[in-house]
Amino acid sequence: VTRPPDSINFDNAAEYYDSTRSLPPEVAERLTQMLLPELEGRGPCLEIGVGTGRVALPLAQRGVDIRGIDISTAMLARLREKAAALGVAVPAEIGDASRLDFADNTFGSAIACHVFHLLRDWASAVRELVRVVRPGGVVLVEADSYGGLRSRFRDRVSEIVGDDLVSPDRIDTDQVELLLLELGATVRRLPPIRWQRQRTVRGALEELGSNQWSMTWSIAEALPAVVEQLTREELEARGDIDAPIVEEQAVSWRAYDLAPT
Ligand SMILES: C[S@@+](CC[C@H](N)C(=O)[O-])C[C@H]1O[C@@H](n2cnc3c(N)ncnc32)[C@H](O)[C@@H]1O
């Protein structure tokens, strides 16, 4: 049995990341508008696992002084290309979220979007954020919460293959929250951003089978059989998997206010 990696690098996903993860433009705009007032006037912001800048770039365009770190060279290369095309700067370096190369109290805020579940040592990453963000600063965390078929499939795939195969050491936002509260933060749940999308169940199953979601990377070999089983189950339950259905989608964020000194 090979030990699962300490963190999941997105080098192989850089090419298709934006086309598979982008929010609909109006949803992305609502997200930017929700995060902006949390960040404005606080000085520099750090996004750990900044990736291609899906979250950071629109904030930089609105004047947030945001920089990022990521372990993936390819994701950061995409970020740099996109920043250059937009004429904005998001300084970004290779770095590990669980061992940040910044002095204490360097930032006024930080963002962690879809990253804690990829780290074995997520607790160190949480502690590092609290160290590099100054007292009284804010840490914004996305609580992975798409809903719809993707969430259903994730749960079902976990059941079929065994939870630990899908994402070793997977943690959820509640565990991150417990640690942040222990470290003196207080939490505000930001209002979920909801929208609907239309697609067929077959389309969603094909997406799952394309192995573009990190939750399936560790079970690549088993994936075709798992998708076959899910396809049978969905056909049995629904009769038709080619009719468009409406999926309720949501992204939820939590703001953690760090204790003032
Ligand atoms: C799902 S992507 C999210 C990217 C961006 N935050 C967004 O929301 O679009 C996760 C990113 O975290 C990076 N990552 C994984 N482990 C990391 C670590 N230990 N330190 C820093 N970044 C890491 C991956 O390379 C990838 O770019």
Side-chain angles (χ1 to χ4, degrees):
V1 180
T2 48
R3 190 172 180 268
D6 286 339
S7 45
I8 299 176
N9 182 307
F10 269 50
D11 275 345
N12 294 331
E15 211 165 286
Y16 62 77
Y17 186 83
D18 284 328
S19 61
T20 51
R21 292 349 186 240
S22 293
L23 297 169
E26 72 283 0
V27 178
E29 180 59 22
R30 279 159 68 197
L31 174 62
T32 303
Q33 292 305 332
M34 182 175 76
L35 299 182
L36 256 185
E38 297 288 341
L39 302 172
E40 281 171 328
R42 290 186 187 267
C45 175
L46 172 69
E47 184 177 352
I48 55 166
V50 66
T52 62
R54 189 178 67 96
V55 179
L57 279 170
L59 291 168
Q61 284 182 290
R62 306 302 201 292
V64 177
D65 174 12
I66 185 164
R67 63 190 301 163
I69 61 116
D70 202 291
I71 53 165
S72 163
T73 319
M75 293 288 272
L76 290 188
R78 287 284 300 137
L79 166 63
R80 289 194 190 106
E81 275 169 31
K82 287 165 64 185
L86 294 169
V88 291
V90 175
E93 291 141 42
I94 291 289
D96 182 344
S98 54
R99 281 184 301 268
L100 291 177
D101 206 7
F102 297 106
D104 296 1
N105 307 336
T106 302
F107 300 96
S109 61
I111 292 178
C113 183
H114 291 170
V115 67
F116 287 127
H117 66 290
L118 304 172
L119 311 184
R120 175 188 299 280
D121 197 2
W122 59 269
S124 291
V126 170
R127 289 201 170 84
E128 281 290 80
L129 284 181
V130 173
R131 180 181 70 76
V132 302
V133 174
R134 62 173 160 65
V138 70
V139 175
L140 303 173
V141 179
E142 216 238 52
D144 183 36
S145 51
Y146 279 96
L149 290 170
R150 187 188 151 204
S151 298
R152 264 243 334 261
F153 290 170
R154 179 181 56 200
D155 294 345
R156 189 67 192 114
V157 171
S158 296
E159 281 167 17
I160 295 172
V161 302
D163 206 9
D164 53 334
L165 279 179
V166 175
S167 181
D169 305 321
R170 190 170 81 190
I171 50 112
D172 61 32
T173 322
D174 291 332
Q175 286 167 276
V176 169
E177 177 157 307
L178 275 179
L179 180 53
L180 279 161
L181 298 184
E182 242 175 75
L183 296 170
T186 50
V187 60
R188 285 177 290 123
R189 312 259 157 137
L190 304 181
I193 297 174
R194 299 184 193 283
W195 73 101
Q196 292 185 328
R197 100 187 243 193
Q198 264 206 6
R199 62 173 168 170
T200 63
V201 174
R202 193 183 298 280
L205 285 161
E206 279 167 7
E207 183 184 281
L208 179 73
S210 71
N211 199 22
Q212 294 189 335
W213 291 101
S214 60
M215 67 171 173
T216 57
W217 293 348
S218 67
I219 56 152
E221 272 177 36
L223 188 60
V226 170
V227 173
E228 243 178 66
Q229 177 173 343
L230 272 177
T231 306
R232 278 197 306 273
E233 290 176 6
E234 292 293 329
L235 264 171
E236 215 164 279
R238 298 171 188 268
D240 180 3
I241 60 169
D242 292 299
I245 59 162
V246 174
E247 279 184 277
E248 301 294 335
Q249 308 276 282
V251 289
S252 304
W253 284 67
R254 299 179 191 179
Y256 296 95
D257 297 304
L258 303 190
T261 36

